[in-house]
Amino acid sequence: MTSFNKFYQKIATNRLSHWLNTLPAQLTDWHNTHLHGDYKQWQKTLDALPAAKEGSAVDLVNAVSVGTPNDVHNEVINQGEYTRLENLLKKFKPWRKGPYHIHGLHIDTEWRSDYKWDRLLPHISELTGKYVLDIGCGSGYHLWRMRGAGANFVVGIDPTQLFLMQFNAIQHFINDDNVNLLPLGVEQLPQLKAFDTVFAMGVLYHRRSPIDFIYQLKAQLVKGGELVLETLIVDGDENTVLVPGERYAKMRNVWFLPSGKAMCAWLQRCGFKNVRMVNTDVTALDEQRKTDWIDTESLKDFIDPDDPTKTIEGYPAPQRAIFIATT
Ligand SMILES: C[S@@+](CC[C@H](N)C(=O)[O-])C[C@H]1O[C@@H](n2cnc3c(N)ncnc32)[C@H](O)[C@@H]1O
């Protein structure tokens, strides 16, 4: 079973020690009452992964990769282990966020999460030595890139348990206890006021109370800390917000899509300073697409086949923006 003891030991001696007042009880409750029906089976899958290979190169700067594409040829990992690795990792489908490269196995995830990373990296403050929190981190792809960019201690939270399994599978090979994923929702965080940078990407539109969400993000930052928020936007002025009907791009849980100007106004209204929108991007079909690592539909199926500027429901097609602000 996933144990968080190492994490507790780690934070006992760093600036997150006050989290120990609430976290162990929360995660014990999660473990006792909230485990997914497939959790035990997933754990067996994790336990059956081939052993991590000592001395393998890890690249978190240009990608998330362990070993090299020649590792089977060079017998770092034998063909049997490689096949077992692929079969076991496919049990954790759908793999949405990535890609990952493990000893030459390319986990070609639905999303090219590296594109988002490349869009935001030129605009954010230096991460070297920083404490970083990624809220709604999915399988944790960006956690690894944050560590690769020099962050000292990286924590991700995401309530979806399959994504914790995917993270644990990658962590099995990378084995870095300064990178952690906890199965929590943002609403379960106390006011930690301890992180230098908080990322919240692709989450705001899933929240029913976006203003409360912005305050929850602010409460995790040190004074002078930086928020990096990425979300779906629509065109319009500071008073434009789209609240779609039952579905947006076939997603049921989409609530508020502000314009870029409205999003900046919300951040300022919540007390953030130096608020700016640093990037906008219409999601292209090569960034979110169906691969062998998902069995479900993808962006192509969510867009009007006769008009790529519209979702299947007739709303503006997904356009995403990155906002940066300080406390
Ligand atoms: C669209 S994905 C974004 C993943 C990643 N941050 C990215 O930008 O690629 C939204 C994520 O938010 C997570 N999520 C859903 N409810 C949440 C909550 N209450 N607190 C934190 N994360 C949540 C989902 O499990 C999912 O992984």
Side-chain angles (χ1 to χ4, degrees):
M1 280 292 149
T2 306
S3 161
F4 300 102
N5 288 339
K6 253 167 105 180
F7 183 76
Y8 302 150
Q9 280 164 18
K10 193 91 196 170
I11 65 170
T13 57
N14 74 21
R15 68 159 95 141
L16 294 171
S17 59
H18 55 307
W19 205 354
L20 290 171
N21 295 332
T22 50
L23 187 63
Q26 259 174 339
L27 291 177
T28 301
D29 175 61
W30 170 83
H31 188 263
N32 292 341
T33 59
H34 287 81
L35 284 194
H36 191 282
D38 293 331
Y39 197 90
K40 279 196 176 137
Q41 197 51 48
W42 287 338
Q43 190 61 49
K44 281 189 191 154
T45 303
L46 280 179
D47 293 342
L49 288 172
K53 308 295 174 192
E54 292 256 323
S56 290
V58 173
D59 180 7
L60 303 178
V61 175
N62 306 297
V64 180
S65 83
V66 177
T68 76
N70 300 324
D71 280 357
V72 174
H73 179 77
N74 294 336
E75 295 181 7
V76 173
I77 179 168
N78 67 43
Q79 185 62 53
E81 285 179 310
Y82 180 90
T83 306
R84 194 164 94 236
L85 175 67
E86 179 167 16
N87 290 339
L88 291 171
L89 291 182
K90 285 215 162 139
K91 290 184 193 289
F92 293 139
K93 281 196 211 177
W95 282 82
R96 299 214 179 276
K97 311 296 177 176
Y100 301 98
H101 299 267
I102 308 288
H103 296 301
L105 176 67
H106 175 197
I107 305 177
D108 187 13
T109 49
E110 178 189 13
W111 283 86
R112 289 292 307 262
S113 306
D114 49 328
Y115 290 7
K116 190 183 288 188
W117 184 251
D118 291 344
R119 285 198 293 272
L120 68 85
L121 193 59
H123 303 288
I124 65 173
S125 296
E126 175 68 46
L127 292 182
T128 305
K130 299 274 176 71
Y131 279 57
V132 175
L133 175 66
D134 186 7
I135 292 179
C137 63
S139 66
Y141 178 83
H142 295 125
L143 303 179
W144 298 112
R145 300 303 302 269
M146 290 164 197
R147 179 73 170 147
N152 177 8
F153 195 64
V154 182
V155 182
I157 63 160
D158 200 295
T160 304
Q161 295 181 28
L162 180 65
F163 300 157
L164 175 65
M165 295 300 125
Q166 294 173 350
F167 172 81
N168 285 346
I170 303 300
Q171 177 65 291
H172 169 78
F173 292 101
I174 297 181
N175 192 20
D176 181 345
D177 60 12
N178 289 314
V179 181
N180 295 275
L181 194 162
L182 305 174
L184 297 173
V186 61
E187 62 285 358
Q188 292 175 281
L189 290 177
Q191 303 203 356
L192 290 167
K193 297 193 169 102
F195 291 95
D196 301 298
T197 306
V198 168
F199 292 82
M201 305 191 287
V203 185
L204 181 127
Y205 52 87
H206 290 316
R207 303 303 296 160
R208 282 184 284 183
S209 303
I211 300 295
D212 287 339
F213 178 64
I214 295 169
Y215 277 112
Q216 282 158 339
L217 304 178
K218 196 169 166 221
Q220 308 314 320
L221 281 162
V222 295
K223 203 166 172 2
E226 183 168 273
L227 173 68
V228 181
L229 187 145
E230 190 254 12
T231 196
L232 290 168
I233 57 160
V234 290
D235 291 334
D237 65 14
E238 51 276 1
N239 293 312
T240 305
V241 183
L242 170 68
V243 180
E246 203 175 314
R247 287 175 185 246
Y248 172 85
K250 293 200 182 170
M251 289 184 281
R252 279 185 190 283
N253 53 350
V254 174
W255 296 96
F256 292 87
L257 277 63
S259 68
K261 283 188 177 151
M263 189 67 235
C264 288
W266 292 357
L267 288 166
Q268 275 153 359
R269 179 72 179 74
C270 294
F272 277 98
K273 296 183 204 126
N274 196 15
V275 176
R276 64 246 190 239
M277 181 168 77
V278 296
N279 179 272
T280 60
D281 181 77
V282 175
T283 308
L285 290 172
D286 68 332
E287 181 167 356
Q288 184 189 11
R289 75 278 189 258
K290 190 163 169 56
T291 71
D292 285 348
W293 292 81
I294 66 160
D295 291 329
T296 48
E297 293 180 319
S298 193
L299 182 62
K300 181 169 74 61
D301 311 294
F302 310 150
I303 298 296
D304 181 341
D306 299 321
D307 181 358
T309 68
K310 297 261 185 310
T311 69
I312 200 97
E313 302 86 2
Y315 296 118
Q319 186 187 355
R320 313 185 76 96
I322 299 168
F323 301 84
I324 299 192
T326 48
T327 52

